[in-house]
Amino acid sequence: MPPATREECAALDAADPLAPFREEFVLPEGVVYLDGNSLGALPRSTPGRVARMVEHEWGQGLVTSWNGAGWWDKPRTLGAGVAPLVGAGADEVVVGDGTSANLFKVLVAALGMSDRSVVLGEAGNFPTDLYVAEGAAALTGAVQRRVDPDGPDLAEALARGDAAVLLLSHVDYRSGTLRDMAGITRLAHEHGTLVVWDLCHSAGAVPVALSASGADFAVGCTYKYLNAGPGAPSFLYAAKRHHAAAHQPLSGWHGHARPFDFTPEYEPSPGVSRFLSGSQPLVAAAALEASLDVWARADLGLVRAKSLAMTDLFLHRAAEAGLASLTPPEHERRGSQVALLEPERGAGYPIVRALIEHGVIGDFRAPDVMRFGFTPLYLRYVDVYDAASALVEVVRTGEWRRGRFAVRDRVT
Ligand SMILES: Cc1ncc(COP(=O)(O)O)c(C=O)c1O
């Protein structure tokens, strides 16, 4: 059973081996931040690291920093830093560009590795995945078919034997449902289908075992659970066995086998670097470097255990208040967020807005979901308890009905 009182939560915090990490993040006074699944909190070391990059590496080192400060290799060294967080080899991950761009690269590469012409997508995936799959399919003469990956449709669709590639989110952005990466990948391979995993809501949130699952390709952002800042560069994973055969369409000079030969013909790098395109935003990369230093010291088993305990607690309190959840109750099917259904039509957005006035920051995902993300490195059990209390209060009193809470901002 989850802790029943705030005192019990405080006792859990006192015994929490991850508790010292909280000091490593900037957290505004009086705020319980439950939106780290959208934009992670700022590590205290980041401003200094970014300033060093700008003032020293750029300001003093100038162009010599491409060699002297390791700028040229940043996509690979940062990739090697992300690799252990997603269960991949250090030479299978690169960092650069955005998630959507990387998704496009791996989808087109995967389509080129098959003589089939169907991209199997999931009906409820994050829109950029649907849109990019649509674009990649149109460009390659393929079609996109959409299924519900959590029901029997997926197995049926794979059994048709015409899917070149299956694109799935490992953790669903809306409900927080965690998919069985190893099982689904195995099934897809049995039917001759490659799999691309979107790890945006997985990296830093749940254990990820890309290599052990036999995954083919994956992409993910670093600005959510990995705390690298707004618009931070994304990561791309390609299994080593595919490096030679995978040809991505944005074949820029950073992906060339010998970029400084400046030859007119493109020859892809033999390794995962072939997925790079051009120069990267290295100031932003410095922020990722700082957050990966924090993550390198985090025990991912402890992170998972605390995440589940926190989501258990929040789900329990929400259920007591009569709020229905879209998030699976089973631990093995749950990511690191809780998605609650709005208690009545149109209530979700104003409830989230009212909660912000109580210092509890979550978000709303249309049409009807209130989302709360749990980040064990900087949240305490008492924060979860207090946030749940505020939610229960806002719903019980009907405070959310005040007109100002219904006014939509551009970003929800
Ligand atoms: C599953 C998923 N994929 C992709 C993205 C975003 O893609 P990008 O980083 O290109 O904006 C998000 C953003 O929330 C997401 O949840």
Side-chain angles (χ1 to χ4, degrees):
M1 274 297 276
T5 63
R6 197 174 193 281
E7 289 65 37
E8 285 178 45
C9 289
L12 286 178
D13 288 325
D16 175 13
L18 293 176
F21 277 102
R22 182 175 165 84
E23 287 307 310
E24 300 200 33
F25 291 89
V26 174
L27 296 163
E29 200 53 44
V31 167
V32 176
Y33 190 58
L34 302 185
D35 218 0
N37 53 335
S38 182
L39 176 69
L42 169 68
R44 281 196 196 283
S45 56
T46 301
R49 176 68 193 93
V50 172
R52 196 166 81 239
M53 190 285 170
V54 171
E55 291 166 8
H56 181 73
E57 295 179 16
W58 176 16
Q60 301 301 312
L62 292 165
V63 77
T64 69
S65 285
W66 280 104
N67 289 312
W71 285 357
W72 182 264
D73 280 323
K74 282 295 173 212
R76 283 166 289 274
T77 51
L78 290 170
V82 169
L85 303 174
V86 293
D91 55 354
E92 294 179 302
V93 184
V94 277
V95 164
D97 299 327
T99 322
S100 303
N102 281 332
L103 202 49
F104 180 76
K105 293 183 213 170
V106 293
L107 275 177
V108 174
L111 280 163
M113 290 165 65
S114 171
D115 50 14
R116 302 178 180 177
S117 56
V118 171
V119 179
L120 214 49
E122 55 172 297
N125 210 345
F126 187 78
T128 212
D129 296 58
L130 301 175
Y131 307 158
V132 170
E134 202 172 291
L139 205 76
T140 54
V143 290
Q144 185 185 183
R145 198 177 294 143
R146 295 173 184 173
V147 293
D148 169 9
D150 303 314
D153 304 14
L154 178 60
E156 278 168 32
L158 287 168
R160 287 169 70 157
D162 60 358
V165 52
L166 169 67
L167 165 61
L168 290 184
S169 279
H170 183 219
V171 175
D172 181 71
Y173 83 102
R174 192 183 264 122
S175 67
T177 303
L178 169 66
R179 277 77 186 243
D180 170 11
M181 179 181 281
I184 293 176
T185 303
R186 196 180 322 113
L187 184 67
H189 287 175
E190 278 166 17
H191 292 289
T193 303
L194 295 165
V195 189
V196 173
W197 289 98
D198 183 328
L199 302 181
C200 280
H201 292 270
S202 307
V206 296
V208 184
L210 284 170
S211 301
S213 302
D216 299 292
F217 300 99
V219 298
C221 64
T222 62
Y223 48 74
K224 298 180 188 292
Y225 292 92
L226 295 184
N227 312 96
S234 120
F235 64 88
L236 180 156
Y237 158 86
K240 203 167 181 170
R241 64 183 179 281
H242 294 319
H243 288 180
H247 296 282
Q248 62 102 348
L250 300 175
S251 43
W253 73 298
H254 280 239
H256 196 279
R258 293 172 308 283
F260 289 93
D261 280 3
F262 295 108
T263 58
E265 298 80 27
Y266 182 72
E267 183 192 330
S269 153
V272 71
S273 296
R274 64 175 47 206
F275 282 93
L276 298 174
S277 296
S279 302
Q280 293 302 322
L282 293 171
V283 178
L288 174 58
E289 202 161 51
S291 63
L292 286 179
D293 282 348
V294 178
W295 275 99
R297 288 180 279 109
D299 178 323
L300 298 181
L302 292 176
V303 169
R304 177 61 171 162
K306 186 174 172 186
S307 155
L308 287 171
M310 289 181 147
T311 49
D312 275 345
L313 169 59
F314 197 78
L315 278 167
H316 184 74
R317 298 278 320 270
E320 275 181 349
L323 291 165
S325 158
L326 278 183
T327 301
E330 310 92 323
H331 283 179
E332 63 278 11
R333 294 187 60 232
R334 191 191 304 162
S336 199
Q337 72 175 47
V338 168
L340 300 177
L341 279 173
E342 56 185 14
E344 65 183 77
R345 201 180 159 82
Y349 182 78
I351 289 175
V352 166
R353 298 296 304 177
L355 272 175
I356 291 174
E357 282 203 3
H358 285 260
V360 177
I361 302 182
D363 64 23
F364 175 74
R365 285 295 170 263
D368 54 6
V369 171
M370 303 180 287
R371 250 183 11 159
F372 303 94
F374 295 85
T375 49
L377 291 191
Y378 52 87
L379 279 179
R380 299 168 300 197
Y381 289 95
V382 289
D383 296 324
V384 180
Y385 188 88
D386 292 345
S389 301
L391 172 64
V392 170
E393 196 60 11
V394 162
V395 172
R396 189 186 62 77
T397 59
E399 178 190 333
W400 60 271
R401 293 183 196 278
R402 291 180 196 152
R404 68 178 187 282
F405 296 131
V407 181
R408 294 274 175 124
D409 272 341
R410 192 167 168 80
V411 175
T412 62

